[in-house]
Amino acid sequence: MTAKKSPLDKFISKRANNVSPSGIRKFFDLLQDMENVISLGVGEPDYATPWHISEAAVKSLEKGYTMYTSNSGILELRNLTSQYLKDKYGISYKPEGEILITVGVSEALDLAMRAILNPGDEVIMTDPHYVAYDASVILAEGKPVMVRTSAKNNFAVEAKDIEAKITAKTKAILIGFPSNPTGAVMTRQKLLDLAAVAKKHNLMVISDEIYARLTYEGEHTCFASLPGVKNNTILLGGFSKAYAMTGWRVGYAVAPPEIIAAMTKIHQYTIMCAPTPAQVAAIEALKTGEPDVVEMVEDYNRRRKVIVKGFNDIGLPCFEPKGAFYAFPSITPTGMTSERFSEALLKEEKVAVVPGSAFGKCGEGFIRCCYATSLADIEEALNRMERFVKKHKK
Ligand SMILES: Cc1ncc(COP(=O)(O)O)c(C=O)c1O
């Protein structure tokens, strides 16, 4: 459908016109007016933020702690972030100059792109990928370059496939593992291979590790912890997923001082600082939230096993996602496109999923299902989908 022409069209920049609205939101707008829908759609925890974390922010408001913070974020939060990264991954980043507190990974991603890209610079990323990845590059007037990944390779990316896409214009590689939408993770060896390519061609690697804590088998490898990559890495992390804090809007970027300085310049003119109560909540999360993370991750893991088995049992082949909270089953047995499947499923069985095509060409033939919802809802969604698949199987 082409948008209706308006006299105001001339005011819309090419930059804004060059990106499409998120294919995820489109679906959520559809289900606003429907009842009894089970949503496996939006990628967010079904938990409310653990109360002791929220309470810390409430108490700070009672004390009148409502002013701007430093542009870089509250020093205590940067200190704790630095300590967390050291304890977890053995990496050393200085709280002053190498860590910037942002409005979620969303802002950190945008800042990273705007800080490093000149018009026409290329950024290599996987297809499928999180919806903001290509958009953030386009909005910074760069060019996203896709590397195909597939269920056959568990949606991991090979360094040689990335290397094959490198041109004189390539500036960076953007990776996000564990992956949204596939749940794929990368082995340490695959990341080492990728690091070698980045160093050989002197490229920046932007590593979005927002789902790092949601890793179900083995340990997450932080890209920045690989030997010799510090000067080639911008690490992005946040609180939204692990601590069930999506609405607070707080995350961070960690990088060499020159990069953080450039990102901070853009941040200080556009954002000023991440919301003060959200930063206070993040401090509490890092100080006392670890048991909550462990408990929630154990719960996601139980749901992961149920949903993956469920999809395979009802005839939608699903590779085993080892991280994040998404399953990415194939819907090819129905012969439908992912958009048609998702629309019909919503209409006929009131189950909301996201078409794989929202995440890139290689997402076609798949649907993204977020399993951060109750086991009862997952089981009921599987029943409804079984009925739907039986009806539509070719
Ligand atoms: C891969 C990925 N990166 C970044 C984000 C944005 O996170 P935040 O809430 O920290 O802005 C999301 C949210 O869904 C995501 O899935």
Side-chain angles (χ1 to χ4, degrees):
M1 202 172 65
T2 47
K4 243 176 55 203
K5 286 236 176 298
S6 151
L8 298 184
D9 285 351
K10 72 167 193 168
F11 294 110
I12 311 300
S13 70
K14 280 196 194 122
R15 207 180 300 112
N17 271 327
N18 281 344
V19 290
S20 321
S22 155
I24 304 183
R25 284 284 141 202
K26 197 172 108 187
F27 256 79
F28 291 99
D29 295 343
L30 271 181
L31 53 101
Q32 288 313 313
D33 307 323
M34 294 175 72
E35 275 174 21
N36 192 24
V37 173
I38 298 179
S39 180
L40 307 179
V42 183
E44 68 179 336
D46 60 333
Y47 291 99
T49 306
W51 176 244
H52 63 103
I53 295 176
S54 300
E55 195 178 31
V58 171
K59 284 194 176 145
S60 77
L61 290 174
E62 281 169 356
K63 286 188 204 139
Y65 196 31
T66 55
M67 284 79 172
Y68 295 130
T69 71
S70 142
N71 291 141
S72 307
I74 299 173
L75 183 58
E76 187 184 7
L77 178 53
R78 284 179 280 139
N79 282 334
L80 287 163
T81 305
S82 171
Q83 193 59 48
Y84 173 86
L85 293 172
K86 184 155 203 92
D87 295 346
K88 226 79 241 100
Y89 307 120
I91 51 180
S92 276
Y93 283 91
K94 293 194 187 74
E96 297 196 57
E98 295 184 328
I99 299 179
L100 173 63
I101 304 299
T102 57
V103 179
V105 168
S106 304
E107 191 215 350
L109 178 67
D110 177 58
L111 293 178
M113 294 309 170
R114 288 201 283 160
I116 68 167
L117 297 183
N118 290 316
D121 283 349
E122 295 176 1
V123 179
I124 301 174
M125 63 184 73
T126 62
D127 180 354
H129 55 261
Y130 173 53
V131 289
Y133 288 176
D134 51 344
S136 64
V137 172
I138 293 168
L139 289 171
E141 300 187 35
K143 188 175 161 217
V145 174
M146 300 300 152
V147 173
R148 298 173 67 86
T149 60
S150 67
K152 203 175 73 209
N153 294 327
N154 290 345
F155 290 105
V157 64
E158 300 292 334
K160 67 172 176 22
D161 295 338
I162 289 190
E163 190 163 28
K165 296 282 179 178
I166 294 174
T167 71
K169 291 194 168 167
T170 309
K171 190 74 157 285
I173 301 165
L174 169 57
I175 53 172
F177 293 99
S179 155
N180 174 4
T182 64
V185 299
M186 289 276 276
T187 60
R188 183 178 167 83
Q189 187 54 52
K190 280 197 195 306
L191 288 173
L192 281 168
D193 296 346
L194 202 151
V197 167
K199 279 197 288 179
K200 178 172 153 200
H201 297 272
N202 195 21
L203 301 174
M204 188 57 72
V205 174
I206 300 149
S207 186
D208 171 1
E209 300 185 21
I210 192 161
Y211 293 104
R213 296 305 308 277
L214 279 66
T215 298
Y216 305 106
E217 283 174 29
E219 288 290 310
H220 171 77
T221 303
C222 174
F223 187 81
S225 72
L226 301 176
V229 297
K230 194 168 175 183
N231 277 338
N232 295 75
T233 306
I234 304 175
L235 166 65
L236 311 181
F239 297 85
S240 289
K241 314 289 174 168
Y243 298 93
M245 288 178 65
T246 48
W248 293 89
R249 312 308 304 127
V250 58
Y252 53 84
V254 172
E258 295 83 347
I259 305 283
I260 289 295
M263 291 172 69
T264 305
K265 265 199 284 182
I266 304 170
H267 170 82
Q268 74 190 172
Y269 290 123
T270 51
I271 300 292
M272 302 272 275
C273 64
T276 304
Q279 293 191 55
V280 171
I283 289 173
E284 184 64 24
L286 285 179
K287 279 184 172 164
T288 60
E290 186 58 24
D292 303 287
V293 177
V294 171
E295 198 184 312
M296 288 189 274
V297 172
E298 277 171 8
D299 210 17
Y300 297 141
N301 195 15
R302 277 192 287 275
R303 302 168 188 190
R304 176 180 76 108
K305 290 178 182 155
V306 170
I307 204 165
V308 171
K309 179 172 183 314
F311 283 134
N312 284 310
D313 287 351
I314 65 178
L316 297 179
C318 185
F319 101 103
E320 194 188 338
K322 302 257 168 75
F325 39 43
Y326 307 104
F328 204 60
S330 164
I331 47 124
T332 43
T334 63
M336 294 173 163
T337 64
S338 59
E339 180 120 9
R340 173 86 196 93
F341 181 101
S342 308
E343 269 172 24
L345 180 67
L346 183 59
K347 237 198 227 142
E348 292 172 30
E349 293 290 351
K350 296 196 173 172
V351 177
V353 300
V354 182
S357 57
F359 306 96
K361 287 200 180 86
C362 296
E364 187 48 274
F366 297 87
I367 50 170
R368 189 196 76 173
C369 302
C370 174
Y371 54 81
T373 191
S374 70
L375 261 184
D377 274 0
I378 290 172
E379 276 159 5
E380 174 57 16
L382 285 167
N383 287 340
R384 294 183 190 187
M385 287 171 90
E386 180 171 25
R387 206 157 50 212
F388 181 83
V389 171
K390 269 195 189 133
K391 189 165 133 198
H392 293 280
K393 211 163 181 171
K394 273 195 307 190

